[in-house]
Amino acid sequence: MTMNRYFLGVDTGGTKTHALIANEAGELVGFGKAGPGNHEVVGYDGVKAALQESVGHALEMAALHVEQISGAGFGVAGYDWASELPDTLDAISVLGLKCAVEAVNDMVIGLVAGAREGWGIVIDAGTGTNCRGLTRDGREGMVTGCGSAFGEHGGAYDLVQAAVIAVNHHWIRRGAPTALSDAFIEYFHATDLTDLIEGLTQGRYAFNGELARLVFKVAQAGDPVATEIIRWTGCELGEQICAIIRQLSLEKETFEVVQIGSLFKGGALLVNPMQEFVHRMSPGAQFTHLSAPPVVGGVMLGMQQAGLDFRPLRQAIIAAACQADQA
């Protein structure tokens, strides 16, 4: 009788670390969590501690020893450059795994989890933005993920920044009047537009990514300035996707683009311009949303490291992970 094999997936992030263990039937047998696991936040010693805690809990729940893991995949936040691989693998080595290991940026496990074939492009639009790509033969494409400082726009903060500029242009009579002005006055309890601008410049009023919801609300009510800001944001996300398409020569391919991040909840006002922009370069791009916890992508990478084709098991793993996530 063949002994069941087990596979570990880990997702380390800026606020949490998740570890998941599945068997070769796609059944989840262990789960563990810990605090932040991004070396830019907690240092590599903090990464080691988060890995030991989360994986330790997962192994305990599964009643397994680390030697029983047949393959492991790690999505590591903050692992962006090849120069960081030695320190990343050194942090992982604290677990004492005896199996093949794959370490990738945490965006990549979201792509593996979200794309049916485990490859394509993933675009993140949350407070900030990032974009990564992976071909069927393992080539990777990336942007810096450092946002507007490097000309990579498309996060909520960028959208709100553009809205603040529009409100200021309304005030100085450089741009068109916009209902965003009244919406911001109400939000900050400012006395009028001058008080709003003064408060923003003096730090009495502080804008943040949360204001993106208000920009969408004003756009949905028909304000052309807010609508254009959201359209611009969608096109900027499209620019990032197209950059990856060029890097990986996917212009004539059929592939999936996995959408991650709260900004996509804004719907067609954002998504349609993004998709139209991309389809002008690559008509075969198919858009989908990530519907599973990214850590399942780590499990799938672990299976791949052990020579197991995860694709027939993909739906079973995702369904089990979603059920566990809701429990």
Side-chain angles (χ1 to χ4, degrees):
M1 183 176 179
T2 303
M3 183 179 294
N4 204 351
R5 293 187 293 172
Y6 299 95
F7 309 95
L8 170 67
V10 180
D11 176 21
T12 76
T15 59
K16 52 75 186 166
T17 299
H18 285 170
L20 196 64
I21 299 173
N23 62 25
E24 57 191 317
E27 299 166 333
L28 304 187
V29 297
F31 174 75
K33 59 183 178 180
N38 183 333
H39 75 89
E40 297 170 344
V41 177
V42 298
Y44 284 106
D45 285 341
V47 177
K48 292 177 182 179
L51 290 174
Q52 286 179 307
E53 182 179 354
S54 60
V55 174
H57 289 321
L59 288 168
E60 183 179 2
M61 180 178 175
L64 295 173
H65 298 292
V66 69
E67 294 83 1
Q68 293 174 271
I69 301 298
S70 298
F74 293 79
V76 185
Y79 167 41
D80 299 307
W81 304 99
S83 61
E84 297 170 308
L85 181 58
D87 286 332
T88 300
L89 293 177
D90 178 66
I92 292 171
S93 70
V94 74
L95 298 173
L97 291 162
K98 307 302 182 185
C99 61
V101 168
E102 176 75 272
V104 297
N105 179 271
D106 60 328
M107 286 279 290
V108 176
I109 60 170
L111 170 58
V112 174
R116 289 188 300 270
E117 295 297 313
W119 67 276
I121 294 176
V122 57
I123 180 74
D124 181 18
T127 301
T129 180
N130 203 350
C131 193
R132 290 263 173 165
L134 183 68
T135 62
R136 59 166 62 89
D137 60 357
R139 291 179 295 118
E140 290 192 41
M142 62 178 284
V143 300
T144 70
C146 294
S148 57
F150 285 76
E152 298 166 5
H153 307 285
Y157 189 88
D158 298 322
L159 186 150
V160 173
Q161 175 72 75
V164 170
I165 291 171
V167 169
N168 181 57
H169 284 183
H170 175 191
W171 181 68
I172 65 176
R173 304 294 179 89
R174 174 177 169 175
T178 170
L180 288 167
S181 299
D182 286 338
F184 277 32
I185 289 169
E186 181 179 357
Y187 178 86
F188 288 109
H189 304 292
T191 56
D192 55 23
L193 186 52
T194 299
D195 178 59
L196 173 69
I197 298 300
E198 179 184 350
L200 288 170
T201 63
Q202 299 301 306
R204 288 190 288 113
Y205 306 134
F207 63 90
N208 54 59
E210 290 296 314
L211 280 166
R213 294 192 189 95
L214 185 58
V215 179
F216 275 95
K217 182 178 179 180
V218 173
Q220 288 160 356
D223 182 72
V225 174
T227 300
E228 174 57 24
I229 288 169
I230 295 171
R231 187 202 69 78
W232 167 80
T233 304
C235 289
E236 287 294 313
L237 293 170
E239 287 275 20
Q240 292 196 63
I241 296 168
C242 286
I244 303 299
I245 291 172
R246 293 187 197 97
Q247 291 175 34
L248 300 178
S249 301
L250 296 175
E251 291 90 341
K252 297 181 180 180
E253 294 270 8
T254 297
F255 60 92
E256 287 180 287
V257 178
V258 180
Q259 299 167 184
I260 299 176
S262 58
L263 209 60
F264 287 117
K265 294 177 182 178
L269 284 173
L270 177 76
V271 172
N272 286 355
M274 177 185 72
Q275 294 184 358
E276 290 166 6
F277 193 99
V278 172
H279 282 149
R280 287 198 290 270
M281 171 178 284
S282 187
Q286 301 174 350
F287 289 81
T288 185
H289 289 276
L290 179 63
S291 59
V295 68
V296 305
V299 172
M300 294 172 188
L301 284 181
M303 291 178 167
Q304 196 171 55
Q305 288 299 297
L308 178 65
D309 185 358
F310 64 79
R311 290 173 297 178
L313 301 170
R314 182 174 177 272
Q315 287 304 322
I317 298 170
I318 289 173
C322 289
Q323 184 176 4
D325 196 44
Q326 295 170 1

